[in-house]
């Protein structure tokens, strides 16, 4: 006799059109009721830590093979960094940076780091991933949070999604966008821990929306991440919908079915803060998503390390209140000096000097793209030759 979960899924799929079934198989979305059914069923299917770890292993393997991450080139110890336009601001330094992800393909962004007079000091490293929008790396939210975390005492790498900012070697919606972005995140970690001013035992990641998806994905797959803060993305029923989030079958294969809640829970027992709000697909987080995450953390006796801050009156962003919650959480678990951010009835970010896109760009007339750079989706696909 079929288990209720399998029976439900069979009936659900039998009533879908071909295009809808393709969407489900790629993990774009369920209805809220379908998602709640799955969450309740999965919660009954395992009870102990060993049960969960068996399921976790299947999910990780499904993610790696689904995005073909295991077919990517071996990661090189060489980065060929391009760093310029160093500026010392009020308590932090910002630089324009590019590193080579794999031969001919570059990760572009900005490096924010503390102002320090102590030689040989090691700071935590933080990956700052952004979501979709109008080149968000240049926007207020990314600049303010990256500068604030640097002033608190972290080396922060704010890096572009492919197809955004300076990362124009491919389009954003190319078929292997998820693979490229996850591999890029691994390379950002590689680079950060190679720096003499970064403590490899203290690596954090945070991002909103599509950057929140990348936050949970890289945390699930890379144990070097020690603390994570996914913002406005962890939903039981919505998986992202963009090629860079659910365009490859990481949520469903012939031997696994999962969602972003379980992918986020793969962070356990490492500290994780879910930030959610009432105006998007994270509106049910306190009732549906977070209790499931807590169940996983409880099996590790680490419930205190999983937290949720919910802003019922806010919408889909990484605004001031959400940044404040992230500062406190990252500060606590990474040993940052949160008191270095002025606090006047809330964190005062007015010390941050917002720079223009032209000031933050890595590649320009003075610093052109390297002649070895691959250009275009077809060139990158041909180089990688993923099956």
């Amino acid at each position: 006799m079929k288990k209720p979960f399998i029976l439900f899924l069979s009936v659900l799929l039998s009533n879908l059109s071909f295009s809808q079934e393709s969407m489900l198989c790629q993990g774009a979305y369920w209805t809220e009721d379908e998602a709640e059914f799955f969450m309740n069923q999965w919660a009954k299917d395992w009870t102990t830590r060993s049960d969960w770890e068996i399921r976790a292993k299947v999910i990780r393997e499904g993610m790696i093979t689904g995005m073909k991450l295991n077919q990517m080139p071996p990661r090189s110890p060489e980065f060929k960094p391009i760093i310029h336009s160093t500026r010392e601001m009020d308590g932090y330094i910002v630089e324009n940076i590019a590193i080579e992800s794999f031969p001919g393909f570059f990760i572009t962004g900005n490096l924010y780091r503390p102002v320090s007079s102590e030689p040989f000091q090691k700071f935590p490293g933080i990956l700052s991933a952004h979501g979709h929008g109008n080149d968000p790396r240049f926007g207020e939210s990314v600049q303010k949070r990256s500068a604030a975390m640097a002033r608190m005492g972290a080396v922060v790498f704010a890096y572009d999604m492919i197809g955004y900012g300076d990362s124009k070697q491919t389009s954003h919606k190319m078929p292997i966008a998820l693979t490229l972005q996850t591999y890029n995140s691994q390379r950002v970690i590689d680079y950060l821990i190679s720096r003499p001013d970064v403590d490899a035992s203290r690596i954090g990641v945070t991002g909103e929306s599509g950057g929140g998806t990348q936050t949970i994905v890289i945390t699930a797959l890379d144990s070097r991440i020690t603390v994570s803060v996914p913002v406005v993305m962890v939903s039981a029923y919505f998986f992202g919908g963009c090629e860079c989030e659910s365009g490859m079958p990481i949520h469903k294969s012939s031997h696994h079915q999962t969602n972003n809640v379980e992918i986020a829970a793969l962070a356990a027992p490492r500290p994780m803060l879910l930030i959610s709000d009432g105006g998007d697909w994270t509106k049910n987080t306190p009732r549906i998503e977070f209790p499931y995450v807590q169940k996983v953390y409880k099996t590790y006796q680490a419930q205190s390390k999983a937290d949720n801050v919910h802003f019922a009156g806010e919408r889909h962003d990484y605004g001031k209140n959400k940044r404040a919650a992230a500062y406190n959480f990252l500060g606590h678990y990474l040993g940052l000096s949160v008191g270095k951010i002025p606090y006047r009835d809330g964190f005062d970010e007015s010390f941050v000097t917002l720079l223009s896109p032209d000031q933050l760009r890595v590649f320009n007339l003075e610093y052109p793209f390297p002649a070895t750079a691959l250009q275009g989706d077809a060139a990158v696909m041909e180089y990688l030759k993923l099956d």
Side-chain angles (χ1 to χ4, degrees), residues 87-309:
R87 305 172 181 88
E88 184 170 332
M89 303 299 194
D90 187 356
Y92 66 97
I93 292 167
V94 59
E95 299 171 310
N96 304 359
I97 184 171
I99 62 172
E100 192 169 59
S101 186
F102 53 86
F105 195 78
F106 293 85
I107 303 167
T108 53
N110 298 105
L111 197 70
Y112 295 77
R113 52 189 179 87
V115 174
S116 175
S117 59
E118 296 184 32
F120 312 115
Q121 186 174 1
K122 285 186 175 287
F123 304 99
I126 298 177
L127 289 73
S128 182
H130 67 71
H132 299 90
N134 183 22
D135 289 336
R137 174 167 64 88
F138 305 140
E140 178 179 339
S141 172
V142 172
Q143 290 195 55
K144 283 189 172 180
R145 71 178 186 249
S146 300
M149 292 185 294
R151 183 171 168 137
M152 288 163 56
V155 176
V156 182
F157 198 139
Y159 57 112
D160 286 316
M161 283 182 163
I162 63 165
Y164 283 82
D166 286 293
S167 183
K168 296 297 175 64
Q169 292 178 256
T170 67
S171 66
H172 180 67
K173 291 182 175 290
M174 70 177 304
I176 59 167
L178 176 58
T179 315
L180 291 178
Q181 292 191 175
T182 305
Y183 189 88
N184 280 357
S185 293
Q186 289 182 313
R187 293 295 285 155
V188 170
I189 300 172
D190 291 342
Y191 173 73
L192 285 174
I193 67 175
S194 77
R195 291 178 57 96
D197 58 351
V198 171
D199 179 355
S201 69
R202 293 185 291 164
I203 302 295
V205 60
T206 186
E208 82 285 12
S209 194
T213 298
Q214 188 55 217
T215 295
I216 63 173
V217 168
I218 191 60
T219 302
L221 299 181
D222 201 313
S223 62
R224 295 175 298 176
I225 297 292
T226 56
V227 56
S228 60
V229 181
V231 179
V232 297
M233 196 60 232
V234 178
S235 168
Y237 69 90
F238 181 70
F239 301 1
C242 179
E243 283 82 350
C244 75
E245 299 171 277
S246 52
M248 301 180 80
I250 65 169
H251 298 94
K252 179 178 172 60
S253 69
S254 60
H255 64 280
H256 90 292
Q257 173 79 67
T258 191
N259 65 2
N260 280 350
V261 183
E262 291 200 303
I263 290 175
L266 295 175
R270 294 165 289 170
M272 178 177 65
L273 171 65
L274 303 181
I275 298 181
S276 54
D277 61 62
D280 63 20
W281 44 82
T282 63
K283 63 190 180 65
N284 298 321
T285 296
R287 185 177 64 86
I288 301 295
E289 288 85 355
F290 186 55
Y292 192 91
V293 169
Q294 279 188 309
K295 182 176 188 289
V296 174
Y297 273 75
K298 186 176 182 180
T299 68
Y300 291 90
Q301 298 182 324
Q303 274 185 284
S304 66
K305 293 180 179 177
D307 208 348
N308 170 226
V309 176

Side-chain angles (χ1 to χ4, degrees), residues 302-366:
Q303 274 185 284
S304 66
K305 293 180 179 177
D307 208 348
N308 170 226
V309 176
H310 187 70
F311 298 94
E314 294 190 6
R315 296 185 66 80
H316 191 70
D317 65 10
Y318 204 153
K320 182 176 182 179
N321 293 328
K322 298 182 177 84
R323 295 195 297 271
Y327 298 158
N328 282 331
F329 193 83
L330 290 165
H332 176 69
Y333 284 105
L334 290 177
L336 301 173
S337 300
V338 185
K340 289 187 176 180
I341 306 179
Y343 191 89
R344 304 179 185 91
D345 193 25
F347 287 113
D348 181 357
E349 300 169 317
S350 62
F351 67 90
V352 179
T353 299
L354 296 178
L355 300 176
S356 71
D358 285 343
Q359 290 174 303
L360 293 170
R361 290 188 190 280
V362 184
F363 297 122
N364 51 35
L365 291 176
E366 185 177 358

Side-chain angles (χ1 to χ4, degrees), residues 17-30:
S17 69
F18 177 78
S19 61
Q20 289 173 317
E21 183 173 346
S22 297
M23 183 72 79
L24 178 61
C25 290
Q26 291 185 3
Y29 62 83
W30 289 328

Side-chain angles (χ1 to χ4, degrees), residues 35-51:
E36 186 168 359
F37 178 93
F38 283 120
M39 298 309 300
N40 290 336
Q41 182 60 46
W42 292 338
K44 295 173 184 176
D45 285 346
W46 61 270
T47 55
T48 67
R49 174 175 167 179
S50 60
D51 290 341

